[in-house]
Amino acid sequence: MADLLGSILNSMEKPPTVGDKESRRKAREQAARLKKMEEDERRKKAEFRKKMEKEVSDFIQDSSQQKRKYNPMGKIERSILHDVAEVAGLTSFSFGEDEESRYVMLFKKEFAPSDEELEAYRKGEEWDPKLAEQRRRLKEQAALEETASSQTKKAETCPNSNYRDKYSHLIGTSAAKDAAHTLEANSAYGCVPVANKRDTRSIEEAMNEIRAKKRQKQEDDSGAHSSSS
């Protein structure tokens, strides 16, 4: 019986010492401080949201404003502002290279920014519509000039010259016609005439042969004329 009573007494919690009481007091105080900090944080968030709702409402009602830029703010504040803007039907973006410099811009739906405008803000530049229009025109002009240059180079690579006109002052019109007929290009072979694919003669050799044929024809015509006389 004595052993049973002793076992029960030993299992009972001992009265807290002075050190235990101090630890519990500090824990209660810390929990109270944390609770107060959380309450303060919720209160500040609620106040900030209310302030943003008022500013966003004023922005929407002001017909002279198309966009609004805010000063850099923390991640939580940016998140709240984005949420308020979305609820109000606005478009919002965050810009800035680092966390300390990031800020929010609001845009009315009818004045949503272009990709060029967003790119300027991402680069840390101010958006200038007139300058952007000048750049756009310069790019279009450069594209047109590049296209024209490409077409010119293509024409030089594959000339569409008239063989008959090119050599008529050298071999005569009728002979040039014969040469043009002999060396007539086939579009299936590109810019190189079909005859050139099969004929290994140079142009000079072909022209000499045509001249010889022409002289022979003239001599034959002269002989025939003399015989008839």
Side-chain angles (χ1 to χ4, degrees), residues 5 13 19 56 119 129 145 148 156 161 171 186-188 228:
L5 181 59
E13 185 178 355
V56 168
E119 185 64 21
E145 291 177 356
E156 291 175 352
S161 59
I171 60 177
N186 187 328
S187 59
S228 61

Side-chain angles (χ1 to χ4, degrees), residues 139-172:
K139 289 175 90 173
E140 289 181 352
Q141 182 64 28
L144 290 174
E145 291 177 356
E146 184 177 354
T147 301
S149 176
S150 176
Q151 292 176 348
T152 301
K153 289 180 180 179
K154 184 177 180 181
E156 291 175 352
T157 304
C158 183
N160 188 23
S161 59
N162 191 318
Y163 187 94
R164 184 173 52 193
D165 294 339
K166 185 174 181 180
Y167 293 104
S168 61
H169 67 289
L170 297 175
I171 60 177

Side-chain angles (χ1 to χ4, degrees), residues 100-169:
E100 293 183 357
S101 65
R102 288 189 71 78
Y103 62 93
V104 176
M105 285 193 71
L106 305 182
F107 299 86
K108 294 180 179 179
K109 288 287 187 180
E110 59 271 28
F111 302 107
S114 63
D115 292 339
E116 293 178 345
E117 184 174 356
L118 291 176
E119 185 64 21
Y121 295 136
R122 292 189 182 106
K123 292 180 179 179
E125 302 173 354
E126 290 295 329
W127 172 246
D128 187 341
K130 293 182 179 179
L131 181 60
E133 179 63 20
Q134 291 178 0
R135 290 177 177 174
R136 186 187 65 79
R137 291 180 179 178
L138 288 175
K139 289 175 90 173
E140 289 181 352
Q141 182 64 28
L144 290 174
E145 291 177 356
E146 184 177 354
T147 301
S149 176
S150 176
Q151 292 176 348
T152 301
K153 289 180 180 179
K154 184 177 180 181
E156 291 175 352
T157 304
C158 183
N160 188 23
S161 59
N162 191 318
Y163 187 94
R164 184 173 52 193
D165 294 339
K166 185 174 181 180
Y167 293 104
S168 61
H169 67 289

Side-chain angles (χ1 to χ4, degrees), residues 1 13 15 20 22-23 88 98 109-110 127 153 155 161 165 181 203 213 220 223:
M1 187 71 177
E13 185 178 355
D20 291 338
E22 183 67 17
S23 298
D98 51 56
K109 288 287 187 180
E110 59 271 28
W127 172 246
K153 289 180 180 179
S161 59
D165 294 339
H181 178 73
I203 294 178
K213 289 181 179 180
D220 292 344

Side-chain angles (χ1 to χ4, degrees), residues 80-91:
I80 293 173
L81 181 52
H82 283 305
D83 185 57
V84 171
E86 182 179 1
V87 172
L90 299 177
T91 302

